[in-house]
Amino acid sequence: MRVLITGATRGIGAGLAQHYRDQGDSVMGTGRIGGDGPRLDVTDPESHSALAAAVGDVPIDLLVCNAGVYLDKGHAMESGYSASLWAETLAVNVTGVFLTVQALLPNIRRSTAPKIAVISSKMGSHTLAPGGSYIYRASKAAVLNVGRNLAAELKPDGIAVGIYHPGWVRTDMGGPQAAVSLDESVAGLASRFDALSLENTGCFEAWDGETLPL
């Protein structure tokens, strides 16, 4: 299987890349500052064009849109959530996902069983909305919407799209108090990706298989 993972230089992305390499799959992992794969700044259209050129005509069986930021953690309503953080977060977490899919769609179409996995969060659920982290929650709700629309539009082309919550994971982003280990999250996500098909395209699931409310 040929896998491309964005944001693969650390955390969940790096864990997924290693998981697929250990399985013997061909893995290309991108990062904003490079890594063992092409450099990709998901906010920059020229960077996407360069990535597409680097990939060439190689089919992509699984695209994992993992690159993301959480810049408003701990912000207070009275003093936080600056306009610049809104712009930066949405550029990475939402626009970046769409641009990645758009740039690599020709490669995805070349696969005989293509899949796209969008890493969102249950924090993007409208039903599970307790307040706080407004920018991050809004970005994950928006990318959930993007993923659902991609699933609808790409289904006739035989491309399955799933949207996933990786859990609160002990990474640099999640912090040391997080409930889920990196290995647990990676194994669970990989199982969800394996189960993704045209029958359940558009699914919104947690790493452990729980179906999440929209």
Side-chain angles (χ1 to χ4, degrees), residues 52-60 106-107 110:
V55 175
D57 295 332
V58 175
I60 294 174
N107 305 88
R110 292 188 180 98

Side-chain angles (χ1 to χ4, degrees), residues 145-170:
N145 183 275
V146 169
R148 296 274 293 179
N149 278 282
L150 286 171
E153 184 163 352
L154 298 178
K155 185 175 182 178
D157 297 333
I159 301 171
V161 181
I163 306 97
Y164 301 96
H165 167 58
W168 181 25
V169 186
R170 291 192 289 276

Side-chain angles (χ1 to χ4, degrees), residues 79-110:
S79 58
Y81 308 112
S82 68
S84 62
L85 288 189
W86 279 95
E88 183 176 354
T89 301
L90 293 171
V92 175
N93 293 359
V94 187
T95 310
V97 170
F98 183 83
L99 292 178
T100 300
V101 173
Q102 187 178 52
L104 298 175
L105 192 55
N107 305 88
I108 297 166
R109 292 187 191 278
R110 292 188 180 98

